[in-house]
C-alpha cells in the first residue's frame, strides 16, 4: 500500500477560458463552449404549453476552439499507429489476474436493445451493481467515426508520482549534485537558477526531458527545444525565444554535468530514468583540491579583475558547524571585521555535505541561505497547476509515451519476445507497494469537451452525421428522454458534458465514487487497454472505514474533502486482506465501461490511449441514490452539485412523461 495523488477524485467545473496554441506556437484565447441547451425543456419552461418534438442538446459554436493556421511542424496523429475499435471487439478474458480478482460481467446487446441506453441500463443494473461496474460491447453495426482534429488538439497533462516523498527527494538530490559539481569544478559557482518567463527553470524535469530524447546533441539535431519547453509548462507567448533560452541554459548549467557523468559512469535509477549523482569532495583534503583543478569542465568564466591578485579581493574560506550539525564553508570578501560590521556585506554560504531535511539557516543575517537552488523547484508549485502543466498535441504525447515505455521495460523484458498486459499490471502494483521506488508519469485527464471538442460527432459541427444524435453518443446520453439531468437548471456542465482522458503507461486514477452517486459511462476511442478495479456498493462502508483509518479522523474533520475526494491508490491485495471484495475488468478500443452508484472504482492504463466519460442520472433509480449522497454531503457540510428538491420541482413542472413527473 502506498498513497499518491495522481488526480482529484471529484471533477470540478473547468475555468471559463482556456488556451490553445497555434501552429507557430502563439497562444489564442478562447471561451468555453457554454452551457448545454435542451431545446425541448427550455420551450416548455417558457410556458408556451406546446408539445414539441424532442431534440438533443446543442452547444454554442465557438470559432476560436481551434487555431486558424496549420503547420507541418506539428503533424496530426497517425490513426494507423493506434489500436482501434476493430481490435476491441475481440474480448480477451484473463484467467490469471493478480491477487486472484474476479472478473466483472461483460454484456453484448443486440442492435434493437442498443437503441435505448436507459432501458438497457435498467435491464443490466441488478447484476452490474453486484460488481460495481460492467463492460458493454456495442453491436457490430454501431461504428461512430472519430471526429477530433488531432492536428489542432492541444491539451495539458498532470504529473503523477506514485511516491511523492521519494520524488521530491530525487529532485533535491539532483539539484544538490548539480550544485556540488559547479561548486567544486569551477572558479565561479552558479548560485542562481536561470529563469524563463519570470519563472525559475525546473532543472530536474528539463534534464529528464532531454535525456529521454537521447541527450543534448540529439535534441539540438532534431530541434526539439520548443517541444520540451511546452512539457515544462511554458506557453506560446514566449515561443520565439524559448528554444534559444532552454538550449543556452542547458548548455551552461547541465551539459557539463552530463559530460562528467559520461566520463565517470555515475548515477542511480529513479522515475524510470537514470538520475545522476555527484559527491562533493572533501575540502579539507589538499589532494582532492588538486584533482578538482585537473577535472575542471570548460564553462564561461567570470572575467578576472586586473588587480585580482590579493587574498583580500578573492576572499578566504572558513569552515564551521551550524547548530543542527551541518558543515558549511563561509567565504567572506574583504577582511572579517568589515564583513561583521557592514550590513548586507557580500558573504556566501555553501554546503559541503549532502542535503539534509533539517534546514540550515545561518544566524548571521548578512549571509544568504544556501538552499536557494531548491527554491527554483519549490516556486514551480504543484505540478497539477494549470499554469505550469506540460502541453502536448496527440502525436507528441504518443511519442513521449512510447519512449518512456520502451526505456522502462527494455531491461525488464530480457529475452521475452513481447510485453504483455499482465507484465505492466504486476509491475504497476509492485512499484506502488514498494516505498523505496517511484515512477513519475503524465496523464491528460478531465479535459472538458466544451473547450476542446469531443471524439464523438457533435451536432453543431456535423448535423448530417447520424451519430451526432445517437443516444450512445456521450454528448447526447445525459439528455435522453429518461434522464433526470435534462431537468437540472443549475450550471453543472462538468456533470452533463463529457471529459476526455489521454493516458500513458502507469497513468492511473485513484479510488473514488462518482459525484452525487451517479452512473458513469466511459468509452474507449483508441489505443492500449486499461484495467478498471471496483468495490461494489455493499462494500463501500468497509472501504470508507479503511480510508478514515489511513487519512485520520481528525484530518477528515478539518477537511472532509479528504474522504469525499480520496486520492489514495490502495492495492487490491490490501483490500482483500481487510475483507473488502474487489473486482476487475479490461477495457479496449470500442468498448463501454459503466460504473454504478456508490461503487468505488480506480483504473490504470497500459499505454497511450484516449477515453471519454460522462455522468448519467437515469430516472428509474438514481433519485434514491442521490438522496443518500445528499445526506452524506450534509453530514460533512459539503456543498452538493445541485439541489435535488429544485430538480424535483422542475421535473414535475416541465415533464410530460407521467412516470417521471410522479417522482
Amino acid at each position: 500500500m502506498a498513497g499518491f495523488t495522481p488526480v482529484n477524485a471529484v471533477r470540478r467545473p473547468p475555468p471559463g477560458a482556456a488556451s490553445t496554441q497555434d501552429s507557430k506556437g502563439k497562444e489564442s484565447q478562447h471561451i468555453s463552449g457554454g452551457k448545454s441547451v435542451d431545446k425541448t425543456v427550455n420551450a416548455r419552461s417558457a410556458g408556451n404549453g406546446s408539445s414539441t418534438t424532442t431534440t438533443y442538446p446543442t452547444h454554442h459554436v465557438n470559432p476560436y476552439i481551434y487555431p486558424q493556421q496549420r503547420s507541418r511542424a506539428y503533424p496530426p496523429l497517425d490513426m494507423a499507429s493506434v489500436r482501434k475499435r476493430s481490435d476491441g471487439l475481440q474480448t480477451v478474458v484473463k484467467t490469471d489476474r493478480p491477487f486472484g480478482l474476479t472478473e466483472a460481467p461483460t454484456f453484448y446487446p443486440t442492435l434493437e436493445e442498443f437503441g435505448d441506453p436507459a432501458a438497457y441500463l435498467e435491464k443490466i443494473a441488478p447484476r452490474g451493481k453486484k460488481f460495481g461496474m460492467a463492460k458493454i460491447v456495442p453491436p457490430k453495426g454501431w461504428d461512430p467515426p472519430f471526429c477530433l482534429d488531432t492536428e489542432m488538439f492541444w491539451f495539458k497533462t498532470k504529473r503523477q508520482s506514485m511516491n511523492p516523498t521519494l520524488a521530491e527527494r530525487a529532485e533535491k538530490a539532483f539539484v544538490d549534485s548539480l550544485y556540488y559539481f559547479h561548486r567544486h569544478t569551477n572558479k565561479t559557482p552558479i548560485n542562481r537558477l536561470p529563469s524563463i518567463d519570470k519563472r525559475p527553470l525546473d532543472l530536474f524535469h528539463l534534464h529528464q526531458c532531454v535525456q529521454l530524447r537521447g541527450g543534448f546533441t540529439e535534441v539540438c539535431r532534431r530541434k526539439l527545444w520548443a517541444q520540451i519547453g511546452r512539457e515544462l509548462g511554458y506557453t506560446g507567448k514566449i515561443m520565439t525565444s524559448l528554444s534559444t533560452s532552454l538550449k543556452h541554459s542547458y548548455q551552461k548549467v547541465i551539459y557539463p554535468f552530463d559530460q562528467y557523468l559520461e566520463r565517470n559512469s555515475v548515477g542511480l535509477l529513479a522515475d524510470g530514468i537514470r538520475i545522476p549523482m555527484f559527491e562533493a569532495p572533501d575540502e579539507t583534503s589538499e589532494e582532492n583540491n588538486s584533482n578538482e583543478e585537473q577535472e575542471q569542465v570548460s564553462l564561461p568564466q567570470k572575467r578576472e579583475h586586473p588587480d585580482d591578485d590579493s587574498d583580500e579581493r578573492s576572499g578566504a574560506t572558513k569552515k564551521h558547524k551550524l547548530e543542527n550539525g551541518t558543515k558549511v564553508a563561509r567565504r567572506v570578501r574583504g577582511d572579517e571585521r568589515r564583513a561583521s560590521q557592514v550590513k548586507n556585506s557580500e558573504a556566501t554560504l555553501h554546503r559541503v555535505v549532502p542535503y539534509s531535511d533539517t534546514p540550515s539557516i545561518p544566524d548571521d543575517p548578512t549571509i544568504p541561505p544556501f538552499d536557494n537552488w531548491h527554491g527554483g523547484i519549490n516556486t514551480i508549485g504543484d505540478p497539477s497547476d494549470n499554469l505550469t502543466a506540460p502541453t502536448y498535441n496527440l502525436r507528441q504525447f504518443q511519442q513521449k509515451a512510447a519512449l518512456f515505455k520502451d526505456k522502462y521495460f527494455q531491461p525488464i523484458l530480457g529475452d521475452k519476445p513481447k510485453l504483455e498486459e499482465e507484465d505492466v499490471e504486476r509491475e504497476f502494483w509492485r512499484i506502488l507497494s514498494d516505498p523505496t521506488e517511484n515512477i513519475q508519469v503524465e496523464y491528460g485527464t478531465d479535459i472538458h469537451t466544451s473547450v476542446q471538442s469531443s471524439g464523438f460527432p457533435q451536432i453543431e459541427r456535423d448535423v448530417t452525421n447520424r451519430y451526432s444524435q445517437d443516444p450512445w453518443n456521450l454528448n447526447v446520453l445525459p439528455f435522453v428522454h429518461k434522464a433526470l439531468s435534462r431537468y437540472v437548471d443549475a450550471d453543472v456542465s462538468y456533470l452533463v458534458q463529457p471529459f476526455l482522458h489521454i493516458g500513458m503507461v502507469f497513468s492511473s486514477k485513484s479510488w473514488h465514487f462518482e459525484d452525487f452517486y451517479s452512473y458513469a459511462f466511459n468509452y474507449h476511442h483508441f489505443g492500449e487497454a486499461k484495467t478498471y478495479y471496483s468495490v461494489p456498493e455493499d462494500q463501500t462502508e468497509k472501504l470508507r472505514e479503511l480510508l478514515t483509518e489511513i487519512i485520520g479522523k481528525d484530518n477528515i474533520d478539518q477537511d472532509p474533502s479528504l474522504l469525499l475526494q480520496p486520492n489514495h491508490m490502495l492495492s487490491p491485495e490490501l483490500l482483500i486482506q481487510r475483507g473488502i471484495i474487489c473486482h476487475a475488468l479490461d477495457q479496449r478500443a470500442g468498448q463501454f465501461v459503466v460504473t454504478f452508484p456508490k461503487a468505488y472504482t480506480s483504473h490504470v492504463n497500459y499505454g497511450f490511449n484516449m477515453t471519454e466519460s460522462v455522468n448519467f442520472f437515469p430516472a428509474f433509480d438514481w433519485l434514491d441514490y442521490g438522496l443518500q449522497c445528499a445526506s452524506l454531503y450534509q453530514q460533512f457540510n459539503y456543498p452538493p452539485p445541485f439541489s435535488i428538491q429544485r430538480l424535483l420541482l422542475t421535473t414535475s413542472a416541465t415533464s410530460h412523461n407521467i412516470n417521471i413527473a410522479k417522482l
Side-chain angles (χ1 to χ4, degrees), residues 99-248:
F99 318 117
L101 301 179
T102 56
E103 192 86 8
T106 300
F107 297 95
Y108 299 86
T110 63
L111 272 175
E112 182 179 358
E113 292 175 324
F114 207 64
D116 189 342
Y120 188 71
L121 181 63
E122 185 176 5
K123 177 181 178 180
I124 67 173
R127 186 182 177 201
K129 289 179 181 179
K130 297 178 181 179
F131 297 84
M133 62 180 177
K135 180 164 59 179
I136 300 176
V137 180
K140 291 185 178 181
W142 190 80
D143 190 16
F146 181 70
C147 296
L148 193 67
D149 188 339
T150 62
E151 183 177 0
M152 293 301 180
F153 175 72
W154 293 85
F155 62 96
K156 292 182 178 291
T157 62
K158 299 175 182 178
R159 293 192 181 107
Q160 298 182 337
S161 294
M162 297 186 191
N163 190 333
T165 302
L166 195 62
E168 183 179 358
R169 290 178 181 175
E171 294 183 18
K172 290 180 177 180
F174 172 79
V175 177
D176 264 351
S177 299
L178 192 60
Y179 177 83
Y180 291 149
F181 172 77
H182 286 285
R183 170 71 180 86
H184 293 282
T185 60
N186 292 281
K187 294 180 180 178
T188 309
I190 300 175
N191 292 315
R192 180 176 298 177
L193 283 171
S195 296
I196 297 179
D197 195 22
K198 300 180 181 179
R199 177 158 60 90
L201 187 59
D202 188 344
L203 298 176
F204 176 77
H205 287 103
L206 173 61
H207 182 262
Q208 288 209 10
C209 290
V210 172
Q211 293 304 308
L212 187 63
R213 290 164 176 80
F216 176 77
T217 304
E218 185 68 13
V219 170
C220 291
R221 185 184 69 82
R222 297 174 59 191
K223 300 179 180 179
L224 299 176
W225 291 109
Q227 179 178 336
I228 290 175
R230 291 190 181 93
E231 291 189 35
L232 296 176
Y234 294 103
T235 63
K237 297 178 183 178
I238 56 166
M239 280 298 158
T240 54
S241 61
L242 177 63
S243 298
T244 303
S245 300
L246 284 176
K247 179 181 176 181
H248 175 74

Side-chain angles (χ1 to χ4, degrees), residues 239-470:
M239 280 298 158
T240 54
S241 61
L242 177 63
S243 298
T244 303
S245 300
L246 284 176
K247 179 181 176 181
H248 175 74
S249 298
Y250 194 97
Q251 187 174 17
K252 180 181 179 181
V253 180
I254 304 180
Y255 186 54
F257 191 31
D258 289 342
Q259 293 177 311
Y260 168 84
L261 296 173
E262 186 176 352
R263 292 196 309 268
N264 295 274
S265 301
V266 285
L268 58 90
L269 194 66
D271 289 354
I273 300 174
R274 187 161 296 279
I275 303 301
M277 298 296 294
F278 178 83
E279 294 183 0
D282 186 0
E283 289 195 346
T284 61
S285 172
E286 296 181 358
E287 181 179 356
N288 285 341
N289 288 335
S290 61
N291 291 337
E292 291 172 13
E293 296 178 359
Q294 297 176 4
E295 293 196 17
Q296 284 185 4
V297 181
S298 178
L299 274 180
Q301 300 293 327
K302 184 177 70 174
R303 186 174 58 185
E304 296 185 359
H305 193 276
D307 298 329
D308 195 6
D309 58 351
S310 65
D311 291 340
E312 180 175 340
R313 182 170 184 86
S314 60
T317 300
K318 293 187 177 182
K319 296 181 288 295
H320 63 277
K321 280 188 179 182
L322 298 180
E323 293 181 356
N324 63 357
T326 301
K327 297 178 182 178
V328 297
R330 180 182 177 188
R331 181 183 297 275
V332 180
R333 296 182 181 180
D335 64 324
E336 184 71 20
R337 182 179 302 174
R338 176 177 176 272
S340 63
Q341 294 177 350
V342 181
K343 185 177 182 180
N344 295 328
S345 63
E346 296 183 6
T348 57
L349 194 64
H350 305 289
R351 187 196 320 279
V352 295
V353 295
Y355 179 83
S356 170
D357 290 334
T358 304
S360 298
I361 302 175
D363 295 330
D364 189 346
T366 66
I367 302 177
F370 55 82
D371 291 337
N372 58 341
W373 275 56
H374 295 301
I377 291 179
N378 295 334
T379 55
I380 289 174
D382 188 350
S384 64
D385 187 352
N386 191 59
L387 297 177
T388 62
T391 304
Y392 304 89
N393 65 13
L394 286 174
R395 187 182 182 91
Q396 291 173 353
F397 192 68
Q398 179 193 34
Q399 292 172 346
K400 179 171 184 178
L403 281 172
F404 179 88
K405 189 173 182 179
D406 293 342
K407 191 177 185 72
Y408 184 86
F409 283 100
Q410 186 176 7
I412 297 177
L413 274 177
D415 298 332
K416 197 171 182 179
K418 182 182 177 182
L419 180 66
E420 302 292 342
E421 293 175 2
E422 291 83 353
D423 300 328
V424 180
E425 185 177 14
R426 287 190 172 89
E427 182 67 9
F428 173 81
W429 292 114
R430 184 195 68 79
I431 298 169
L432 192 66
S433 302
D434 189 346
T436 64
E437 290 199 34
N438 176 60
I439 291 294
Q440 187 178 85
V441 294
E442 295 178 40
Y443 198 3
T445 185
D446 293 342
I447 303 169
H448 206 279
T449 56
S450 68
V451 175
Q452 295 282 31
S453 188
S454 168
F456 285 99
Q458 293 178 301
I459 192 170
E460 62 269 25
R461 291 185 172 86
D462 191 0
V463 69
T464 62
N465 192 317
R466 68 183 182 92
Y467 286 102
S468 64
Q469 300 188 59
D470 189 279

